[in-house]
Amino acid sequence: MPTIREVAQKAGVSYTTVSHVINNTRRVSTPVRERVLAAMQELGYRPNALARSLRSGETKTIGLILPDSANPFFAEVGRAIENAAFRSQYSVILCNTEGDQAKERVYTEVLQNKQVDGLIFVAAGDQPDALQEIATRGLPVVVIDRDCSQLELDTVITDNLSGGRQAGSHLAQIPNLRAACITGPSNLTPSAQRLVGFQQALHEAGIELREEWVLRGDFHPHSGYQAALHWLKAAQRPNAIFCCNDMMAIGVLRAAAELGVMVPQELEVIGFDDIELASYTHPPLTTVAQPKAQIGETAVRLLLERIADGWLPARREILPTTLIIRKTTHEEKP
Ligand code: RIB
């Protein structure tokens, strides 16, 4: 097993410089850091992480708990988190709960046993008792996406009510609008707020959202597909559907294509998230964009500040949404 001395000799630097690179205890210039890392790679040197963490009391690792790592929204937010953490020399351990609160509890225990320095947390459901426990144990944690306002924790969320209003105001421009909405799981705050915002905008335009044209989806494409099939096969059908995420909107587009319903001429469709795929559907999807990179970067910034100073007051960042008009709806009227 190569030693630190051999790494220092190969990189042409001092023993202490190699130690600073390993433990991130002093800023080392990029060229020197790269020389040391290259020497480590050539020699096959691997720092003893456990010894290092015992010395510094830090593992330079953060946990990331997501409800569905296969959903592109979370994948894109997770990518931003990992990139921001890497820039600050932190590693990320990703845990996928599949929306299961029992699994969420297991993972919070696993991550604490692995001595992570902090957690970024998307709640699996609406009873995050695991989160309550972490908060009382004092582990630094930042809540993102699904608000847990009952706990005084650092939080980064999107203005979902405003996003729903943006979708409603856009569709309200359609003459003789017959609007429908496919929500996400109703126990999740983002979906509930999007529906409220959508209803508010329609109401202000004097348009009623019929109860039979609001169906609950599960944020997966098939639920959007099924809801659209149900509505589009009926004699009286909606001419616009707002989906509380892009994945369900993709399901709606498939249903419309199968039934020969022209989008946007006969049916307008709006999604929510603006995942990368939204630009590549046919037609390209109009959607309410969430600032995914900003969500991830802000979460990492708040967490590292919290790790450095546990006494900071809880911070709450509410980020704006943006309506992105593509080809599944009409052009915005002035
Ligand atoms: O697409 C997944 C949805 O779940 C997103 O809208 C995100 O806000 C999360 O709540």
Side-chain angles (χ1 to χ4, degrees):
M1 173 68 171
T3 64
I4 288 185
R5 282 196 196 291
E6 288 168 319
V7 171
Q9 196 171 12
K10 187 161 191 67
V13 299
S14 69
Y15 176 98
T16 48
T17 296
V18 175
S19 173
H20 285 315
V21 170
I22 292 171
N23 297 302
N24 194 37
T25 42
R26 194 193 71 196
R27 187 159 183 71
V28 175
S29 72
T30 303
V32 171
R33 171 182 294 278
E34 284 171 357
R35 274 207 338 260
V36 171
L37 294 176
M40 284 181 182
Q41 188 152 11
E42 279 174 52
L43 293 172
Y45 175 81
R46 291 177 59 75
N48 181 329
L50 179 60
R52 187 177 60 210
S53 65
L54 289 175
R55 272 197 303 282
S56 67
E58 280 190 325
T59 59
K60 304 292 282 183
T61 308
I62 57 179
L64 172 57
I65 293 189
L66 295 175
D68 180 2
S69 54
N71 180 300
F73 168 83
F74 290 117
E76 291 176 37
V77 169
R79 177 176 58 189
I81 287 169
E82 195 277 330
N83 285 334
F86 183 80
R87 286 195 297 271
S88 295
Q89 289 88 42
Y90 275 79
S91 304
V92 175
I93 299 177
L94 168 63
C95 300
N96 178 31
T97 62
E98 293 293 348
D100 176 339
Q101 293 196 230
K103 202 172 175 188
E104 182 179 78
R105 278 191 292 277
V106 169
Y107 271 137
T108 47
E109 275 308 308
V110 164
L111 290 172
Q112 289 175 86
N113 295 340
K114 286 187 177 298
Q115 305 285 311
V116 293
D117 297 331
L119 261 186
I120 295 174
F121 192 97
V122 180
D126 55 359
Q127 298 302 325
D129 49 6
L131 190 58
Q132 174 77 58
E133 194 185 319
I134 298 166
T136 45
R137 285 190 191 175
L139 180 70
V141 63
V142 174
V143 171
I144 65 171
D145 186 65
R146 295 165 185 186
D147 199 2
C148 300
S149 53
Q150 65 274 31
L151 305 172
E152 278 290 299
L153 295 170
D154 293 328
T155 300
V156 183
I157 53 177
T158 300
D159 187 346
N160 291 293
L161 184 87
S162 167
R165 291 181 60 87
Q166 288 170 307
S169 301
H170 182 56
L171 293 184
Q173 296 178 345
I174 301 171
N176 308 314
L177 173 63
R178 297 188 308 280
C181 178
I182 305 172
T183 73
S186 55
N187 62 324
L188 299 178
T189 49
S191 180
Q193 289 168 359
R194 292 166 198 170
L195 175 59
V196 169
F198 185 63
Q199 287 170 316
Q200 282 179 358
L202 294 186
H203 179 73
E204 286 162 17
I207 299 164
E208 177 215 1
L209 181 57
R210 291 164 47 171
E211 199 174 324
E212 66 271 24
W213 283 351
V214 178
L215 285 179
R216 179 174 148 182
D218 61 4
F219 280 150
H220 294 283
H222 195 64
S223 59
Y225 172 74
Q226 285 180 313
L229 283 183
H230 173 70
W231 286 330
L232 296 179
K233 286 179 175 174
Q236 245 276 344
R237 66 191 195 194
N239 58 7
I241 299 176
F242 168 46
C243 304
C244 284
N245 86 334
D246 290 345
M247 297 301 276
M248 296 190 295
I250 288 170
V252 169
L253 293 178
R254 175 179 159 182
E258 283 181 3
L259 296 175
V261 176
M262 300 292 289
V263 174
Q265 297 83 344
E266 298 173 288
L267 175 73
E268 297 203 10
V269 182
I270 292 189
F272 204 106
D273 290 344
D274 194 27
I275 59 176
E276 286 176 27
L277 276 175
S279 307
Y280 297 94
T281 56
H282 178 70
L285 181 65
T286 294
T287 185
V288 179
Q290 293 203 67
K292 295 167 289 301
Q294 192 183 358
I295 292 169
E297 289 157 8
T298 305
V300 170
R301 174 174 60 81
L302 293 184
L303 185 62
L304 298 191
E305 288 169 356
R306 171 71 53 198
I307 290 169
D309 179 356
W311 297 102
L312 287 169
R315 284 77 51 86
R316 194 171 167 77
E317 303 265 0
I318 302 177
L319 304 178
T321 58
T322 311
L323 178 64
I324 308 289
I325 298 174
R326 296 194 176 99
K327 299 296 183 188
T328 56
T329 61
H330 63 281
E331 291 188 9
E332 186 75 350
K333 299 186 175 84

